[in-house]
């Protein structure tokens, strides 16, 4: 078994601020993902990474940067927080082959921008 | 690009009645993998079941689904809803990247 840890659990920011979210997994999985979850809009893929130092854009990458510093960690940066933005950011990982593999999700980071 | 369409919004059922949540997809790939994930309140999504085999029924925890490539569908069913089935359900298509539907919220009441 393994676990995905996301920090922080809650993040309150100011408009225009750069905010960084972190994700760690100890599954030894190759692929990691960042999703944004909004009510009524489902899970939207922001970035994914199939190996260390790899980055692939998802459908919602504009306004975000990501970094896969090592196999076990994947960070996401909101480049300029939008006023009144409220969302949950979920990190996930999968063993290797994107099309076949189950994704395992972390507990999420809840973002509120004042 | 790929897309996944699910039963919209909220489905409300009485305990004991059958469950059917619709999922259809669009992709150019001939061998897609389809997944159902379930997310209970204050939890993260987790796998419910998955399939890539055409016309083969897949079952898990009382739920079942059959991938029909001819109609690009992967509907989720259960014969008798339980209160504990109340959750958010996501249908997802995995090929070179994953694509999720918007989710269907199922509420089962006594």
């Amino acid at each position: 078994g393994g676990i995905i840890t996301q920090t922080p659990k809650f993040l309150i920011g100011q408009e225009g601020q750069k905010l960084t979210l972190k994700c760690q997994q100890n599954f030894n999985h190759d692929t990691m993902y960042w999703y944004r979850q909004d009510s009524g809009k489902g899970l939207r893929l922001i970035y994914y990474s199939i190996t260390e130092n790899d980055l692939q854009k998802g459908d919602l990458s504009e306004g975000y940067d990501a970094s896969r510093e090592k196999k076990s960690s994947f960070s996401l940066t909101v480049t300029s927080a939008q006023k009144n933005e409220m969302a949950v950011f979920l990190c996930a990982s999968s063993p290797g082959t994107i099309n076949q593999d189950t994704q395992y999700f972390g507990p999420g980071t809840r973002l509120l921008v004042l | 690009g790929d897309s996944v369409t699910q039963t919209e919004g909220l489905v409300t059922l009485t305990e004991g009645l059958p469950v059917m949540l619709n999922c259809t997809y669009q992709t150019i790939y001939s061998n897609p993998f389809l997944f159902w994930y379930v997310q209970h309140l204050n939890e993260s999504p987790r796998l419910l079941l998955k399939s890539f085999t055409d016309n083969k029924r897949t079952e898990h925890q009382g739920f079942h689904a059959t991938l029909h490539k001819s109609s690009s569908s992967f509907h989720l069913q259960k014969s008798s809803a339980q209160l504990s089935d109340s959750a958010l359900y996501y249908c997802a298509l995995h090929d070179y990247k994953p694509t999720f539907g918007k989710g269907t919220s199922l509420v089962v009441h006594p």
Side-chain angles (χ1 to χ4, degrees):
Chain A
I3 192 169
I4 296 179
T5 304
Q6 291 187 237
T7 55
K9 290 184 179 180
F10 298 95
L11 184 55
I12 299 176
Q14 301 290 329
E15 184 182 12
Q17 195 175 3
K18 180 184 285 189
L19 302 168
T20 298
L21 293 67
K22 294 187 182 294
C23 177
Q24 296 263 352
Q25 54 96 0
N26 65 359
F27 287 101
N28 198 34
H29 284 170
D30 287 326
T31 308
M32 296 186 74
Y33 312 80
W34 275 108
Y35 291 93
R36 177 179 167 128
Q37 184 174 36
D38 296 276
S39 178
K41 296 184 180 179
L43 294 175
R44 292 181 288 175
L45 183 64
I46 305 172
Y47 272 99
Y48 64 105
S49 168
I50 61 175
T51 189
E52 184 179 334
N53 294 319
D54 174 73
L55 276 181
Q56 307 286 337
K57 290 185 177 181
D59 301 318
L60 201 67
S61 61
E62 188 169 335
Y64 302 93
D65 287 328
S67 176
R68 183 86 181 269
E69 307 89 1
K70 49 187 179 180
K71 186 175 183 178
S72 62
S73 67
F74 194 28
S75 60
L76 179 72
T77 298
V78 180
T79 56
S80 180
Q82 301 298 305
K83 188 174 177 64
N84 297 325
E85 183 174 6
M86 188 167 64
V88 177
F89 292 86
L90 291 171
C91 176
S93 69
S94 64
T97 309
I98 292 177
N99 66 337
Q100 299 180 31
D101 288 341
T102 299
Q103 293 182 61
Y104 297 84
F105 286 84
T109 292
R110 283 150 181 79
L111 170 68
L112 174 63
V113 181
L114 302 176
Chain B
D2 294 345
S3 66
V4 174
T5 302
Q6 296 185 230
T7 301
E8 292 268 331
L10 176 66
V11 172
T12 306
L13 283 175
T14 302
E15 187 179 19
L17 290 181
V19 178
M20 181 151 170
L21 305 183
N22 289 340
C23 173
T24 56
Y25 64 90
Q26 286 188 317
T27 180
I28 63 171
Y29 294 93
S30 58
N31 293 306
F33 280 70
L34 272 294
F35 294 70
W36 277 101
Y37 289 86
V38 59
Q39 184 177 20
H40 287 93
L41 191 62
N42 296 323
E43 295 183 6
S44 302
R46 61 172 175 81
L47 178 72
L48 181 57
L49 47 79
K50 66 181 181 181
S51 180
F52 67 95
T53 306
D54 198 12
N55 297 318
K56 181 180 177 182
R57 175 172 162 142
T58 300
E59 299 191 36
H60 187 62
Q61 296 184 335
F63 287 89
H64 63 91
T66 303
L67 176 59
H68 292 296
K69 292 185 181 180
S70 59
S71 57
S72 299
S73 66
F74 191 56
H75 305 320
L76 183 68
Q77 299 181 69
K78 188 178 185 184
S79 60
S80 175
Q82 298 177 286
L83 297 177
S84 58
D85 294 331
S86 296
L88 183 57
Y89 292 81
Y90 287 107
C91 182
L93 165 68
H94 291 199
D95 45 56
Y96 72 98
K97 68 176 175 69
T99 300
F100 281 75
K102 293 184 178 181
T104 303
S105 184
L106 177 64
V107 174
V108 181
H109 58 82

